[in-house]
Amino acid sequence: ILNVEQSPQSLHVQEGDSTNFTCSFPSSNFYALHWYRWETAKSPEALFVMTLNGDEKKKGRISATLNTKEGYSYLYIKGSQPEDSATYLCAFNSGYSTLTFGKGTMLLVSP
Amino acid sequence: EADIYQTPRYLVIGTGKKITLECSQTMGHDKMYWYQQDPGMELHLIHYSYGVNSTEKGDLSSESTVSRIRTEHFPLTLESARPSHTSQYLCASSDRIGVAGTDTQYFGPGTRLTVL
């Protein structure tokens, strides 16, 4: 059974704060690591897919890094805005067609 | 924006009823998935399909069944609903492109099922 851990479980920051979360996954049989963003009452939407050790991806104020040797990925949000409030999910792929998800980090950004 | 739809969005039903949750996508994706999520827990894969006439069970055992007669349609059925089936059910689809494991899944809005 694959185990994908995300921390913290939830986070409350003020507008303008920068923040980061962690996703830990098995370092063996690694194929890809996905990040999704899930706003309340909406569908989860893809942020990044990363495959190579040392990968860094960026989309606006959001960026992610990947360390496949030690089995972790960080997601960073620079200058958080209220519209960044959402649950951020990571998902691990070990070469099969399916993803194993973590429980997510729930971010609340107050104005 | 992804074109994947689920109906109903909310369903409250009594024990013993047969229910079908609908999922349709207009992107022509081969792969489709059903996930179940309880509050505060992970998305758990319960069924998936590689294409028409292909269905597989996911990591989490489920009493539900699925069918894939058409590419765009992947309904999930519970023959006799029970309170333990109360959960959120999300449907997703992806295309067979790129390196293994990298295909992005596009999610529907989910169905919140409550069985009384």
Side-chain angles (χ1 to χ4, degrees):
Chain A
I1 296 176
L2 297 173
N3 208 27
V4 178
E5 302 284 345
Q6 290 190 248
S7 62
Q9 187 175 342
S10 63
L11 198 53
H12 185 186
V13 302
Q14 297 298 310
E15 183 175 356
D17 289 348
S18 292
T19 186
N20 65 86
F21 337 124
T22 304
C23 172
S24 300
F25 52 85
S27 55
S28 58
N29 297 324
F30 175 87
Y31 269 68
L33 194 282
H34 297 242
W35 281 100
Y36 285 84
R37 169 192 156 96
W38 192 1
E39 290 181 70
T40 303
K42 294 189 177 179
S43 309
E45 58 177 14
L47 283 173
F48 306 115
V49 180
M50 295 186 287
T51 57
L52 297 175
N53 186 45
D55 244 356
E56 289 189 31
K57 298 273 186 176
K58 190 173 180 183
K59 189 175 185 176
R61 292 178 292 98
I62 304 176
S63 60
T65 61
L66 179 68
N67 184 323
T68 60
K69 295 187 186 305
E70 295 181 42
Y72 64 84
S73 175
Y74 294 137
L75 188 81
Y76 300 93
I77 302 179
K78 186 177 178 182
S80 303
Q81 299 296 310
E83 57 265 30
D84 295 328
S85 297
T87 296
Y88 292 83
L89 303 172
C90 72
F92 170 79
N93 180 279
S94 59
Y96 299 100
S97 294
T98 60
L99 295 175
T100 300
F101 282 85
K103 292 182 182 180
T105 293
M106 187 186 303
L107 173 67
L108 177 63
V109 183
S110 296
Chain B
E1 189 172 317
D3 296 314
I4 179 162
Y5 309 99
Q6 290 186 243
T7 57
R9 292 290 307 276
Y10 302 91
L11 179 62
V12 181
I13 202 160
T15 296
K17 301 288 186 184
K18 178 180 178 178
I19 58 170
T20 297
L21 307 184
E22 301 288 349
C23 175
S24 296
Q25 50 96 3
T26 58
M27 298 171 282
H29 287 170
D30 285 325
K31 299 181 192 174
M32 295 189 74
Y33 314 82
W34 275 105
Y35 292 90
Q36 182 176 342
Q37 190 201 29
D38 295 322
M41 301 299 290
E42 305 91 329
L43 289 171
H44 282 292
L45 183 69
I46 51 175
H47 299 283
Y48 60 103
S49 166
Y50 290 116
V52 171
N53 295 325
S54 149
T55 60
E56 304 285 344
K57 289 191 181 295
D59 306 320
L60 184 68
S61 175
S62 174
E63 293 166 349
S64 58
T65 58
V66 291
S67 62
R68 189 89 183 275
I69 298 170
R70 302 199 316 263
T71 297
E72 62 271 22
H73 196 212
F74 191 40
L76 180 145
T77 299
L78 278 164
E79 290 293 332
S80 180
R82 294 208 299 269
S84 59
H85 297 139
T86 295
S87 191
Q88 179 168 220
Y89 294 84
L90 284 108
C91 180
S93 70
S94 69
D95 207 351
R96 290 186 197 243
I97 54 172
V99 175
T102 63
D103 45 315
T104 294
Q105 292 189 16
Y106 296 90
F107 285 84
T111 294
R112 285 199 179 272
L113 172 66
T114 302
V115 184
L116 303 174

